[in-house]
Amino acid sequence: MAGSTRIIRYVLFAFFGIIILFFITSSSSIPKPPIPDSSIFKGAKGNKNHNDPSSGHTSPSSASSGEQRLVDERPAPGSAAPAAAPASNVTMGAVPATGRLNATFVTLARNSDLWDIADSIRQVEDRFNRNYHYDWVFLNDREFDDDFKKVTTALVSGKTHYGTIAKEHWSFPDFIDQDKAKAVREDMAERKIIYGDSISYRHMCRFESGFFFRQPLMQNYEWYWRVEPSVKLYCDIGFDPFRVMAENKKKYSFVISLYEYAETIPTIWDSAKKFMKQYPEHIAEGNSMKWLSDDNGESYNHCHFWSNFEVGNLNWLRSDAYIDFFETLDRDGGFFYERWGDAPVHSIAAGLLLKKEEIQFFDDIAYWHVPFTHCPTSEKKRLENKCACNPKDNFDWKGYSCTTRWFDMMGMEKPAGYQDQKD
Ligand SMILES: Nc1nc2c(ncn2[C@@H]2O[C@H](COP(=O)(O)OP(=O)(O)O)[C@@H](O)[C@H]2O)c(=O)[nH]1
Ligand SMILES: [Mg+2]
């Protein structure tokens, strides 16, 4: 009797031993990827999700193809290497302890922009995304062709998505007087105002101001990083800007700021003032009015963040506050009766609707879009991050930049050596 009990015990031990051995070997075959270091920016955690993107101003039809994706465990296409930052704990609104955030790159482009955007993607991948494998959403007012999709999918280390913009997001609203709009374009052409005679540029600016964040494909994400064709990144980005934003409760960011051409926005501030009067509840306490205006809101000083680079929060753009702002401006017609750019629109919104601390200046992201450069002033930073920019080209402290004003308003200390880069 005792003998057979012993045999049964041996058999059970052997059985469980084999099972344990199986689990150990199979889990150790999954490589443990390194988690990129973002400790330099550690801040407050627990960003609350104030806005459900599927509610409010998001039309049900536009949300239809975008089922909420809370977890992204898909492997990066065309990549044998494991994702450096697995997104197994990605949730809407919360900041996951490790791994990717619920974020995507986003690019508006034409098929003819293929090789210029290919260049930008390579910059972003080489300096950052090859370690993270974030997705990339491409948007176009026409359908993307196979060539565009094939090349960009091969270059992006995350998943790629391609969306065609609905007509109503890329056309004249019916309240626009076509004759008046045409006369403006002819006048601006004569005055040689850049893009002054262009219809498509105006649709582009209106789309980037009011619609990109409401596209079905964008409904899946909480954070975006805008990338334009032919931009450059000059330094390694050894941290995750999305994480920096989320952990520090940031909503909008910039690397370059400057004065807008006054001729393109003569009445934008009138519309902004109308909005402030109509919606005082949307105006943030501790906002950046001092950066936007030199006379306490009476007039606009034309300072704006250069929006061809943006890392931002999509839920903020989808909030009632931002939508009410966009719609107030849109009804006044300045996208067509003038030539309002999305940069001053986003900037005035960020300046009024957000607390100034919710706007992030990314000194560590060295960037070029024709014709301006942001190159970190600190040599230590440039050497540590393998930067390839000439510090003399840094635009931050030059007379046409608004970044000095930003530092002054924020009470931020300017980096050593900034005086040498003033001209
Ligand atoms: N699909 C599409 N994208 C456009 C059009 N016009 C401009 N874009 C995109 O909109 C962004 C801004 O245009 P860009 O020509 O770079 O303007 P700039 O930076 O102000 O000189 C870029 O990402 C362009 O690829 C257009 O007519 N159709
Ligand atoms: Mg551009």
Side-chain angles (χ1 to χ4, degrees), residues 86-256:
S88 54
N89 51 2
V90 170
T91 53
M92 292 290 286
V95 185
T98 59
R100 279 195 297 255
L101 276 86
N102 191 12
T104 185
F105 289 95
V106 61
T107 291
L108 173 68
R110 296 152 286 211
N111 286 308
S112 58
D113 292 317
L114 173 58
W115 299 110
D116 292 331
I117 195 61
D119 222 6
S120 298
I121 295 170
R122 209 46 232 227
Q123 300 277 325
V124 171
E125 287 292 336
D126 291 352
R127 291 300 198 168
F128 169 73
N129 203 39
R130 69 193 172 91
N131 294 323
Y132 290 83
H133 310 311
Y134 277 107
D135 292 358
W136 206 305
V137 171
F138 295 91
L139 302 170
N140 189 352
D141 56 308
R142 309 239 173 109
E143 225 174 281
F144 281 113
D145 60 34
D146 289 344
D147 211 27
F148 189 99
K149 291 187 200 166
K150 186 172 59 185
V151 173
T152 51
T153 296
L155 289 172
V156 174
S157 66
K159 268 189 85 73
T160 49
H161 303 277
Y162 302 87
T164 308
I165 298 159
K167 196 92 203 121
E168 61 269 28
H169 294 167
W170 194 281
S171 49
F172 290 95
D174 51 15
F175 54 81
I176 292 296
D177 176 340
Q178 289 292 339
D179 294 338
K180 185 173 163 186
K182 186 160 176 262
V184 167
R185 292 195 300 276
E186 286 166 0
D187 173 59
M188 285 197 173
E190 248 172 58
R191 292 195 284 141
K192 300 208 173 351
I193 292 172
I194 185 167
Y195 300 119
D197 59 345
S198 172
I199 295 178
S200 66
Y201 194 83
R202 285 183 169 79
H203 289 320
M204 182 277 285
C205 290
R206 181 168 178 261
F207 175 79
E208 292 287 24
S209 297
F211 300 107
F212 86 89
F213 48 87
R214 295 190 268 183
Q215 296 304 293
L217 287 171
M218 298 302 287
Q219 301 293 341
N220 294 331
Y221 303 98
E222 188 185 357
W223 301 95
Y224 74 101
W225 179 335
R226 174 170 166 181
V227 178
E228 285 206 356
S230 297
V231 299
K232 292 194 194 312
L233 291 179
Y234 290 116
C235 303
D236 283 350
I237 301 171
F239 60 95
D240 183 346
F242 296 120
R243 177 168 290 282
V244 170
M245 298 287 286
E247 290 187 347
N248 295 287
K249 297 186 180 347
K250 306 282 181 179
K251 297 287 190 297
Y252 192 76
S253 66
F254 72 101
V255 288
I256 290 171

Side-chain angles (χ1 to χ4, degrees), residues 357-374:
E357 292 78 15
E358 290 178 308
I359 301 173
Q360 168 75 12
F361 169 59
F362 275 120
D363 186 39
D364 297 48
I365 302 183
Y367 176 80
W368 177 83
H369 175 293
V370 64
F372 300 122
T373 301
H374 166 69

Side-chain angles (χ1 to χ4, degrees), residues 242-290:
F242 296 120
R243 177 168 290 282
V244 170
M245 298 287 286
E247 290 187 347
N248 295 287
K249 297 186 180 347
K250 306 282 181 179
K251 297 287 190 297
Y252 192 76
S253 66
F254 72 101
V255 288
I256 290 171
S257 72
L258 71 166
Y259 296 97
E260 178 62 301
Y261 303 114
E263 300 93 324
T264 65
I265 49 164
T267 68
I268 200 171
W269 195 251
D270 295 338
S271 297
K273 284 207 283 195
K274 183 163 128 188
F275 166 80
M276 286 186 260
K277 213 164 164 198
Q278 203 172 338
Y279 295 101
E281 70 275 22
H282 289 332
I283 308 303
E285 246 178 71
N287 62 27
S288 316
M289 178 61 95
K290 244 181 113 176

